[in-house]
């Protein structure tokens, strides 16, 4: 017995019998459902056109209220736009050149296990078990760098790797939550309105693609939260419309048609959002192949997603990568084989792979690595406790002013056992961004509320 599907929309222009749509019953049902979706989308398009006519009638004084139109348009957009799509569609395209990637090390990096003054009497006394090894690499101004960062030696020699020591802000506490929040917001929540500093930075970069703000991970970091609709993704291929795979192409086609030629602000956002989806699908259509000899491991997998976007022309302007494992109260292991040494080596290897993979495009990229706070100068017998005066690392396609940057006045007078704040954290953030994008002091000032920006010379 033949089965007939009853619906307010015809299954087929000539015959409603499901079986006549395909020889295979399962395929026939799929085709029937696809025809239904297409018919429903066409009806929805007609409804949107009617709503547009109602708006025009209201503007012409023909008695239709704007509220009628807005309510209808909102219902249509809500029905069609998934959560990912709404997030995607909110961004615009950038005019400033280059990409700034903020790598945040959660837990509080002991900066003195990354770079430290060579043969310093204070360190020799306070942390004899956590001194850098004899295999450390020399930096400028009497400092040395852990050999865990040796994968980046090429860029150190080229003047593209630098470190700013003694970085903090008086508003940072020793609480992971409070300090990380302040670092991501660019100040305290009541000063910033809960808006991330990178989102504020994006205001200065002009229009751009929907990929101009990207957080690699399942959760958008506070630094990107705000007005500019940043994307959060685990992989390039994960950026797509939600819903059943069988109907995704038909849904995308319907949305494009529905929001074309409607003379309404939502059209631009939707079309840009669909463009982002198309770009992601194109890039993910085949497995990504890094440059010859490049291998991504660990946190490097996050950098691989950014390499795929940048090399694919997605016009990323600001991006974030998070890495945990830096809360080293015990078993810190500053030297080869140690816990912290391995984490730093994984990070350095990932950054080296990324810059190698980018090739010539690395000239337009800057990576800034920071943490919520530093750690105390003295060892607690195998580890270090929460402190201040951390280190910010910069790897840039632009040549830097030196391998040790900013102010350094020594460890003769500690701040309650901590490295003193010789360089304000938000001045460092601002100076890195300013050099990358060519911003004015006034533009940087707007990024950090209640903070008067003091420029720093970081680039050559």
């Amino acid at each position: 017995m033949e089965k007939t599907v009853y619906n307010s929309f015809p299954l087929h222009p000539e015959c409603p019998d499901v079986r006549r749509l395909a020889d295979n019953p399962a395929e026939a049902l799929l085709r029937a459902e696809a025809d239904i979706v297409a018919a429903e989308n066409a009806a929805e398009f007609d409804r949107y056109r009617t709503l547009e006519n109602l708006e025009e009638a209201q503007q012409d004084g023909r008695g239709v209220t704007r509220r009628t139109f807005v309510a209808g348009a909102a219902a249509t957009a809500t029905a069609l736009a998934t959560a990912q799509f709404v997030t995607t569609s909110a961004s615009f395209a950038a005019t400033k050149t280059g990409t700034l990637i903020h790598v945040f090390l959660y837990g509080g990096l002991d900066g003195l296990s990354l770079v430290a003054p060579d043969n310093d009497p204070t360190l020799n006394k306070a942390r004899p078990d956590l001194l850098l090894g004899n295999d450390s690499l020399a930096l400028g101004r009497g400092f040395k760098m852990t050999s865990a960062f040796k994968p980046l030696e090429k860029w150190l020699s080229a003047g593209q790797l630098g470190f700013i020591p003694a970085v903090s802000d008086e508003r940072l506490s020793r609480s992971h939550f409070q300090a990380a929040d302040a670092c991501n917001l660019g100040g305290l929540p009541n000063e910033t309105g809960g808006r991330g500093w990178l989102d504020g930075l994006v205001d200065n970069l002009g229009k751009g693609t929907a990929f101009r703000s990207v957080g690699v991970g399942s959760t958008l970091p506070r630094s990107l939260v705000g007005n500019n609709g940043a994307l959060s993704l685990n992989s390039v291929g994960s950026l797509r419309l939600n819903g059943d795979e069988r109907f995704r192409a038909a849904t995308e086609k319907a949305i494009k048609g529905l929001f074309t030629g409607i003379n309404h602000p939502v059209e631009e956002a939707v079309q840009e959002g669909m463009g982002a989806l198309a770009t992601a699908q194109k890039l993910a259509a085949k497995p990504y192949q890094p440059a010859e000899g490049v291998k991504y491991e660990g946190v490097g997998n996050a950098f691989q997603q950014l390499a795929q976007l940048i090399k694919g022309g997605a016009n990323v302007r600001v991006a974030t990568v998070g890495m945990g494992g830096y809360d080293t109260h015990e078993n810190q292991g500053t030297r080869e084989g140690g816990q912290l040494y391995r984490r730093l080596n994984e990070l350095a290897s990932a950054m080296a792979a990324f810059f190698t993979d980018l090739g010539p495009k690395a000239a337009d990229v800057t990576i800034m690595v920071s943490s919520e706070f530093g750690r105390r100068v003295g060892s607690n017998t195998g580890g270090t406790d929460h402190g201040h005066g951390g280190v910010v690392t910069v790897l840039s396609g632009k040549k830097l002013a030196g391998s040790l940057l900013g102010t350094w006045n020594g460890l003769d007078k500690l701040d309650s056992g901590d490295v003193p704040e010789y360089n304000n954290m938000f001045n460092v953030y601002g100076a890195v961004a300013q050099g990358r994008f060519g911003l004015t002091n006034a533009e940087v000032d707007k990024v950090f509320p209640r903070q008067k920006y003091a420029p720093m010379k970081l680039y050559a």
Side-chain angles (χ1 to χ4, degrees), residues 410-439:
L411 295 172
D412 295 337
K413 296 182 180 179
L414 301 183
D415 180 10
S416 301
D418 295 340
V419 177
E421 179 193 322
Y422 293 140
N423 301 287
N424 180 266
M425 174 173 288
F426 303 123
N427 286 337
V428 174
Y429 283 11
V432 173
Q434 183 175 45
R436 174 71 272 165
F437 297 115
L439 304 176

Side-chain angles (χ1 to χ4, degrees), residues 49-272:
R49 285 291 192 187
T50 300
L51 289 170
E52 184 182 22
N53 291 335
L54 290 177
E55 184 193 43
E56 292 176 352
Q58 185 271 336
Q59 291 174 339
D60 292 341
R62 286 179 270 166
V64 181
T65 67
R66 178 169 292 272
R67 178 177 295 178
T68 303
F69 171 79
V70 171
T76 301
T78 300
L80 290 175
T82 68
Q84 272 189 327
F85 177 68
V86 170
T87 301
T88 302
S89 68
S91 293
F92 310 94
T95 53
K96 301 284 187 182
T97 59
T99 305
L100 173 63
I101 300 169
H102 185 195
V103 179
F104 200 82
L105 306 181
Y106 290 94
L109 168 67
D110 177 35
L112 292 171
S113 291
L114 175 58
V115 297
D118 190 17
N119 197 28
D120 184 273
T122 300
L123 295 182
N124 292 341
K125 180 179 180 180
R127 53 165 61 200
D129 55 330
L130 296 177
L131 298 174
L132 296 182
N134 294 328
D135 58 349
S136 300
L137 284 71
L139 298 178
R141 296 162 65 183
F143 268 65
K144 58 184 179 181
M145 176 186 80
T146 174
S147 59
F149 257 43
K150 192 173 178 62
L152 292 170
E153 186 175 14
K154 167 185 173 182
W155 290 275
L156 177 65
S157 299
Q160 295 174 267
L161 177 66
F163 303 88
I164 305 103
V167 177
S168 189
D169 185 272
E170 62 182 3
R171 290 167 289 187
L172 301 182
S173 72
R174 287 184 172 84
S175 159
H176 289 296
F177 179 82
Q178 188 275 346
D181 208 34
C183 292
N184 280 288
L185 294 176
L188 301 180
N190 64 345
E191 299 173 351
T192 63
R195 186 185 187 195
W197 80 273
L198 285 176
D199 187 73
L201 172 62
V202 169
D203 286 349
N204 294 302
L205 304 184
K207 290 189 173 183
T209 71
F211 289 100
R212 67 173 180 169
S213 304
V214 176
V216 181
S218 57
T219 303
L220 194 69
R222 291 293 295 272
S223 60
L224 289 174
V225 171
N227 304 331
N228 293 293
L231 296 176
S232 178
L233 51 86
N234 285 309
S235 66
V236 175
S238 68
L239 184 62
R240 59 184 183 179
L241 283 176
N242 289 332
D244 197 314
E245 179 68 37
R246 296 173 298 172
F247 309 117
R248 191 165 288 136
T251 303
E252 291 180 12
K253 181 179 179 181
I255 292 176
K256 288 179 182 178
L258 189 61
F259 289 92
T260 299
I262 61 175
N263 191 28
H264 191 276
V266 74
E267 178 179 357
E268 180 182 1
V270 170
Q271 295 299 331
E272 288 173 351

Side-chain angles (χ1 to χ4, degrees), residues 16-30:
D17 287 336
V18 172
R19 243 173 29 181
R20 293 190 54 181
L21 297 180
D23 293 334
N24 184 298
E27 183 179 347
L29 282 172
L30 288 178

Side-chain angles (χ1 to χ4, degrees), residues 200-436:
L201 172 62
V202 169
D203 286 349
N204 294 302
L205 304 184
K207 290 189 173 183
T209 71
F211 289 100
R212 67 173 180 169
S213 304
V214 176
V216 181
S218 57
T219 303
L220 194 69
R222 291 293 295 272
S223 60
L224 289 174
V225 171
N227 304 331
N228 293 293
L231 296 176
S232 178
L233 51 86
N234 285 309
S235 66
V236 175
S238 68
L239 184 62
R240 59 184 183 179
L241 283 176
N242 289 332
D244 197 314
E245 179 68 37
R246 296 173 298 172
F247 309 117
R248 191 165 288 136
T251 303
E252 291 180 12
K253 181 179 179 181
I255 292 176
K256 288 179 182 178
L258 189 61
F259 289 92
T260 299
I262 61 175
N263 191 28
H264 191 276
V266 74
E267 178 179 357
E268 180 182 1
V270 170
Q271 295 299 331
E272 288 173 351
M274 297 306 297
L277 292 173
T279 299
Q281 291 166 8
K282 180 181 178 181
L283 292 175
K286 58 182 179 179
Y288 176 69
Q289 292 294 326
E292 185 177 357
V294 171
K295 185 177 182 180
Y296 288 106
E297 295 179 320
V299 72
N301 291 312
F303 284 98
Q304 179 179 315
Q305 308 310 313
L306 294 176
Q308 187 173 5
L309 289 172
I310 292 170
K311 292 169 68 175
N315 295 315
V316 178
R317 290 296 172 257
V318 297
T320 62
V321 171
M323 185 181 185
Y326 289 88
D327 194 15
T328 52
H329 289 280
E330 56 186 7
N331 300 321
Q332 184 163 309
T334 299
R335 300 197 183 192
E336 186 172 1
Q339 174 184 327
L340 182 56
Y341 187 100
R342 289 196 301 270
R343 298 301 283 165
L344 290 172
N345 187 248
E346 178 185 330
L347 174 62
S349 298
M351 292 165 64
F354 179 60
F355 257 49
T356 301
D357 192 12
L358 290 180
K361 290 186 179 295
D364 294 324
V365 176
T366 295
I367 300 174
M368 180 180 73
V369 183
S370 69
S371 191
E372 63 260 44
F373 44 56
R375 306 189 80 85
R376 296 179 68 77
V377 173
S379 166
N380 64 10
T381 311
T384 48
D385 296 322
H386 301 177
H388 291 130
V391 170
V392 171
T393 302
V394 179
L395 173 64
S396 181
K398 297 180 65 175
K399 192 169 184 179
L400 300 173
S403 57
L404 194 84
L405 303 159
T407 299
W408 176 254
N409 291 328
L411 295 172
D412 295 337
K413 296 182 180 179
L414 301 183
D415 180 10
S416 301
D418 295 340
V419 177
E421 179 193 322
Y422 293 140
N423 301 287
N424 180 266
M425 174 173 288
F426 303 123
N427 286 337
V428 174
Y429 283 11
V432 173
Q434 183 175 45
R436 174 71 272 165

